Amino acid sequence: MGSDAGPLEEALRTKRAAGRKLLACYLVAGMSPDWLEALAAIEAEGADVIEVGIPFSDPLLDGPVIQEAGKRALLAGFTPGRVLADVGQSGCTVPLVAMTYYNILLRAGLERMAGRLVEAGIRGSIVADLSLEESGPWCEEAEAGGIENIMLVAPPTSVERAATIASMSRGFVYCVATMGVTGERVSLASSAAEVARKVTDVTDKPALVGIGVSTPAQASEVCSVADGVVVGSAIVRRLLDGEGPGGVGRFVAALRSAIDV
Amino acid sequence: MSPAGSEGNAAPMAMTGYPGPAGRFGEFGGRFAPESLVAACVELEHAFAEAWADEGFHAELSSILRTYGGRPTPVTECARLSRQLGVRILLKREDLAHTGSHKLNNVIGQALLARRMGKTRLIAETGAGQHGVATATAAALFGQDCQVYMGEIDIHRQELNVFRMQLLGAEVTAVKSGSRTLKDAVNDALRDWVATCDTTYYCLGSVMGPHPYPWMVRELQSVIGNEAREQCRELLGGTDPDFVVACVGGGSNSAGTFAGFVSTGAKLVGVEAAGGAAITRGIPGVLHGMKSYILQDDDGQILEAESISAGLDYPGIGPEHSYLASIGRAVYETAGDEDVLEAFKLLSRTEGIIPALEPAHAVAWVAREAGRSIPEGATVLITMSGRGDKDVAQVQELLRGQ
Ligand SMILES: Cc1ncc(COP(=O)(O)O)c(C=O)c1O
């Protein structure tokens, strides 16, 4: 299955082979007037993947911070169409992944949405509420359209199921560090390492750990057992708090240097 | 066998039968859950399937429903209302069940299941507060911890039920996100469950959510329809009613009622709030783990339902109803707030029964359609899903304002 790697997965594999730990950063499109500048700052400070959240009215896998960001984006009129138009003009050269909920794709039409993502220059997708059992139709359309759909393995996922998910996942495999919604945590859950091991045991696709990874120290801890890390709420909170693209950039730089050692 | 090809391995479904391992009712239902919750859903599915096949479980459940819950609830012949409307009206009296609504049928079953699964904490969402009260009641009965999520708006309009839950020992958590009503309470309950499913049982209040909930809750509520069919046959000399009518929020009292009549000739009618009419005004989509008809905009953002009845203030509907609508076995109509208030008064005055605002929707539709789409002289069974005590203060305010 490793042979049919798409460009996103290839890019990540190449970096990994060069000894680099992978940094994926998340923000919600439209959450603040300066979100595109924040996107540029994340790019400038060395993210390897940027996940762009397309806001959904009912984000059931998100904690208060990302809920608030999504709410602001929706109030500011950030429909999927507007998000994709802005992203398409952002000039970002780091691979972009759209993160959203299934109804956003379904409403647009799966085939049509895959096409619109590609048009906006987006390489991959993460659909928070799409279980393995229900993922067939989107996986097919994404594959046909050239979108690498990243799938999740969680603490309760069995080894056999993890193997199936890993084989269907494109781009990388998202290892859910902890049970619960997105949000910052004081310390890294012990389940993070277990999930990472469960994934790396069954696949050589890049394995990135996210959800509840909030500090440079935690990012570095994660990178001792996985190929990389996904950081979301810690970035989104900084933007909500008004730290601006500068603050976000400094934080991403700190993450980068913590995992680069 | 492709693990992703769930549609392929769904068992062909008899009407209101087992929806197969994929939880499909036709194209509706399923399990659109984050990976973190899939194992908990599977665990629940197996636990319920096993319990439901166990005579001991049924014996304990029906004994509690009988000696504690007040079952069987009667069917009441409404002589004065029938005369006024020109159709023969029977009420299935879930308002007489303990805690004042049909919600207890579901909750006792799920609380027993939680105990069987070794889960010590129950969480629930609630709209009108009836499901929250029922869950708090079951938790008190079985000595379980209980936390209920309730939208901030509903907390205001159903103050009395909030206090009841607290008296029963439950913690009520105000939900401040989104529309601050039932839909958002479900979101927050699911968010809690993702973090706690090891020790916590999510006691969902209607035939919605990811598989196995729509199936399990319908099975637990089918006691309404099964009792009512027998009771009607006794009253009607061995025949079935011409119409079977129930209100629809998520759709549990109606699903439980319809389950008893789906194989009879009765016309099945679900009545939604005009401001939350998922079947009439929604389109198929995915929310709260299920595929069903959902009120949404052109971009797939979920719209807020709007109704005087907190229990029907839901932009979706259980997937089995979407299926029954799609094959034409049931029809879904609507009633508006004003007609509902009239029906609330009508039933109170003609029969001495103050209905909850939710089943007042069913009464309102029947009152409107009697002699029109319901032919004169037809026999109509309405599920009186709950009593109106919780709504009296709100109705008083509304009537004063008129
Ligand atoms: C008395 C009563 N009837 C009906 C409902 C609606 O729920 P469902 O459609 O699941 O029966 C509620 C919900 O709160 C209720 O309290």
Side-chain angles (χ1 to χ4, degrees), chain A residues 62-73:
Chain A
D62 287 310
V65 166
I66 293 177
Q67 282 178 48
E68 175 64 24
K71 191 170 131 190
R72 290 189 193 181

Side-chain angles (χ1 to χ4, degrees), chain A residues 66-86:
Chain A
I66 293 177
Q67 282 178 48
E68 175 64 24
K71 191 170 131 190
R72 290 189 193 181
L74 288 173
L75 279 173
F78 279 82
T79 61
R82 169 128 184 241
V83 169
L84 295 179
D86 282 6

